[in-house]
Amino acid sequence: LTSITIPDGVTSIGSYAFYGCTGLTSITIPESVTLIDEWAFYNCTNLADVYYEGSKLTWTAISIRSFNTYLTSATIHYGRDAESGTCGDGLIWVLRVSDGKLTISGTGDMTDWSSYSSVPWYSYRTSIASVTIENGVTSIGKWAFYNYSSLTSVTISDGVTSIGRSAFEGCTSLTSITIPGSVTSIDEYAFSDCTSLTSVTIADGVTSIGFCAFYNCTSLTSITIPDSVTSIDVWAFWNCTSLTSATIGSGVISIGAGAFRSCTSLASVTIPDSVTSIGSSAFYDCTSLTDVYYAGSEADWAAISIGDNNEALTSATIHYAETTITELTAPTITSLYNATNGVSVGWDAVDGAAEYIVWRLNNSTGKWEKCATTTGTTYLSTSPVSGTTYYYAIEAVNGDVTSGRGT
């Protein structure tokens, strides 16, 4: 016996079925086979080629029991290079086995699965290397690619509006991800434990970043959160230990508890003046944090509700926004009197003024003269001549911007 073809429909090959067939060089096995029992091909010493009508993935799903080394050591020729199925109303998936490329296409939402093991391509998880979500797909379902350790590339088309819970959790070989502007929500644990993730690009459009969404992404070095985001949920970036900088967009109102907890390399963070609350431990254990760039004033910063255990944040150097002055009000003189050794002038402070110029009019000459420039709100004029009438005026100054003279 040199070759044999097993007909389609056979589901099992029993123990000792081809035991000792030393002349057998090739065999054709249908995809219907799910079990090859022990000793079935024992001592088939010349078996060189197995023609399997299914794919590599369905071959690995066959239960091949012990003492079948001559079968498993032969060259396996697969009859099919793709697996496919449905993953939501109007959506299909196709997996090309030869290179592990999974493509999802069609129109509509992906199924929100109840567990990672109920995802239709779950049995192929160790072989999936890349995922492409095509135009027309509107969501990525819960658990879709949970713990796919071989996944290195993900392409999400514009049109997807949500990324479900744990969708890419534990994808430890994934190094970068771009989230398009059509996405509005990144759900809890969506990218947590993606320990090789170094680059995350979030387009303007996302409004919320969920609980632990990027937890333990230990290779992530920087993050820019777009202006469209309004809230960063609890522990969103907890334990991103390589994160050195974070820029938070101007739409964020709240930073959740523990959001950046234990980001031990975080040296600087940019916070917009839209933020009204920072939760407890949001920056706890951020031991490298030295600089906070705040878009508001010192008074605005003081009005933020900052929870407990944020000493790393509050002890950093706070850089407040520089206010652009376009107009200054003329100062009002509030006091003018003869002092022991001159004339004392006082005036109200003007918002935005960096300094003041004191002017004096000599009534006998009719000319204004500049007496002094000061940052205070009082001035003692020590050079008036007794018996001469003088008038005083104060001018507020900030750079090239000046007020009228207040008399």
Side-chain angles (χ1 to χ4, degrees), residues 98-169:
S98 57
D99 59 4
K101 180 178 180 179
L102 177 65
T103 302
I104 298 172
S105 61
T107 304
D109 288 344
M110 195 182 298
T111 301
D112 270 331
W113 291 282
S114 59
S115 68
Y116 58 83
S117 59
S118 58
V119 177
W121 48 79
Y122 173 73
S123 58
Y124 314 131
R125 63 194 180 280
T126 59
S127 302
I128 295 175
S130 67
V131 171
T132 299
I133 312 292
E134 294 191 343
N135 287 324
V137 180
T138 52
S139 72
I140 299 174
K142 296 176 182 177
W143 308 102
F145 308 102
Y146 173 80
N147 212 28
Y148 285 29
S149 58
S150 298
L151 182 60
T152 59
S153 171
V154 173
T155 301
I156 304 172
S157 67
D158 198 40
V160 171
T161 60
S162 64
I163 300 174
R165 174 194 170 107
S166 300
F168 296 95
E169 180 179 355

Side-chain angles (χ1 to χ4, degrees), residues 213-288:
F214 293 93
Y215 162 71
N216 205 41
C217 291
T218 53
S219 297
L220 187 62
T221 57
S222 66
I223 188 68
T224 297
I225 296 169
D227 294 344
S228 56
V229 173
T230 58
S231 65
I232 303 171
D233 210 339
V234 174
W235 297 340
F237 296 93
W238 178 22
N239 208 49
C240 293
T241 52
S242 296
L243 191 67
T244 60
S245 66
T247 300
I248 299 172
S250 62
V252 172
I253 297 171
S254 63
I255 300 172
F260 294 92
R261 178 174 180 153
S262 298
C263 293
T264 52
S265 298
L266 186 64
S268 69
V269 60
T270 300
I271 298 176
D273 57 1
S274 56
V275 169
T276 60
S277 66
I278 299 173
S280 62
S281 301
F283 292 90
Y284 178 78
D285 198 29
C286 292
T287 52
S288 299

